[in-house]
Amino acid sequence: IEAYGPPEEIVVELARDLKRSLDEREEVQRRQYENQKKNEQRQQKIDELIAAERARGNPAWRPPRDALLRLRLWEELNTDAGDRKCVYSGQTISMRMLLDDSQVEIEHILPFATSLDDGPSNLTVSLRTANREKAKRTPWEAFGRRAEWDAIMLRVSALPKAKQWRFREDAVDL
C-alpha cells in the first residue's frame, strides 16, 4: 500500500464460483454490476427527496433505514411509476408515501411464521392498513373469497413471476 496505494478492487472467489464456467461467472458479475447501478439510482432518488423535504422546511425528515429495499419492491409493482398500487387495496403508492412508515410497510406475501422465507421474492410493499387486514395469513386466506380478488390478481400479474405463485390458493402447499 505504501508503494502502490490502496487496491482499486478486491476479488474474492469462493469454491462454488470455481465450478462455474467463465461465461457463468461473467454473467454473475454483469448482474451484480447492474444491481449496483440500480441501487445508485435509487439512492439518488432518495437524496433528491431529502433535498426536497429540506426545501419544504422539514429538515428533520429522514427516509426509513430500509429505503433502498422499499424502492426496489415499489419498482416491481409496475413499470409505470404513476401506476404503482398496493396489491391488496389498489390505492396508488407515491414515492413520498412509500418512504413514510405510517402509511406503507414491507410485508411478507406468505407469512414468515409459516414459510420462514424472508427473501425479497416473498416481500412486497403495501399500505399499512391493507397489511393489518391481511394479518398473518396468505393473500388467498385474507382476500381470496372477496369480490375484489380478481382486481388483486390483475395487479399481481405485474409482479415478477417469482412472486405471482405466492398469491395462489395452494401457495403454502407448493
Side-chain angles (χ1 to χ4, degrees):
I1 292 176
E2 288 177 18
Y4 302 105
E8 289 183 21
E9 179 180 38
I10 298 175
V11 177
V12 178
E13 291 195 24
L14 303 175
R16 69 173 185 249
D17 292 333
L18 298 176
K19 296 177 188 175
R20 294 183 177 154
S21 70
L22 178 61
D23 288 343
E24 291 171 325
R25 290 192 309 262
E26 287 175 350
E27 174 63 18
V28 167
Q29 248 182 337
R30 184 189 62 75
R31 279 184 286 158
Q32 288 175 340
Y33 177 78
E34 287 175 5
N35 288 336
Q36 181 180 357
K37 287 295 173 197
K38 287 178 184 176
N39 275 336
E40 288 170 2
Q41 291 169 349
R42 290 176 186 124
Q43 186 60 54
Q44 184 176 0
K45 287 179 184 178
I46 292 168
D47 293 343
E48 289 168 4
L49 188 58
I50 291 170
E53 286 296 321
R54 287 187 178 148
R56 286 174 41 192
N58 193 1
W61 184 85
R62 295 278 182 256
R65 295 169 80 189
D66 57 3
L68 285 174
L69 177 58
R70 284 173 180 251
L71 273 172
R72 175 181 164 189
L73 297 172
W74 181 66
E75 290 166 358
E76 291 178 348
L77 294 176
N78 199 306
T79 54
D80 178 6
D83 199 25
R84 293 183 178 145
K85 299 178 178 180
C86 172
V87 175
Y88 306 115
S89 71
Q91 184 178 339
T92 300
I93 299 174
S94 69
M95 188 168 156
R96 181 66 185 94
M97 286 174 65
L98 176 72
L99 300 177
D100 182 346
D101 280 331
S102 69
Q103 295 184 58
V104 175
E105 297 177 329
I106 293 177
E107 78 100 13
H108 290 84
I109 300 167
L110 296 177
F112 179 75
T114 56
S115 69
L116 300 178
D117 185 354
D118 204 22
S121 60
N122 190 38
L123 300 175
T124 191
V125 288
S126 70
L127 291 179
R128 182 181 205 117
T129 54
N131 192 24
R132 294 294 177 266
E133 187 176 349
K134 179 180 170 276
K136 295 183 182 206
R137 299 178 288 174
T138 69
W140 172 258
E141 291 168 343
F143 305 105
R145 293 172 184 82
R146 296 188 187 178
E148 60 264 26
W149 183 248
D150 289 340
I152 290 172
M153 291 308 292
L154 186 61
R155 291 186 290 275
V156 166
S157 68
L159 295 175
K161 297 278 186 228
K163 294 186 183 209
Q164 292 180 13
W165 68 268
R166 297 166 193 272
F167 289 82
R168 292 176 32 182
E169 181 178 3
D170 61 349
V172 289
D173 300 330
L174 298 177

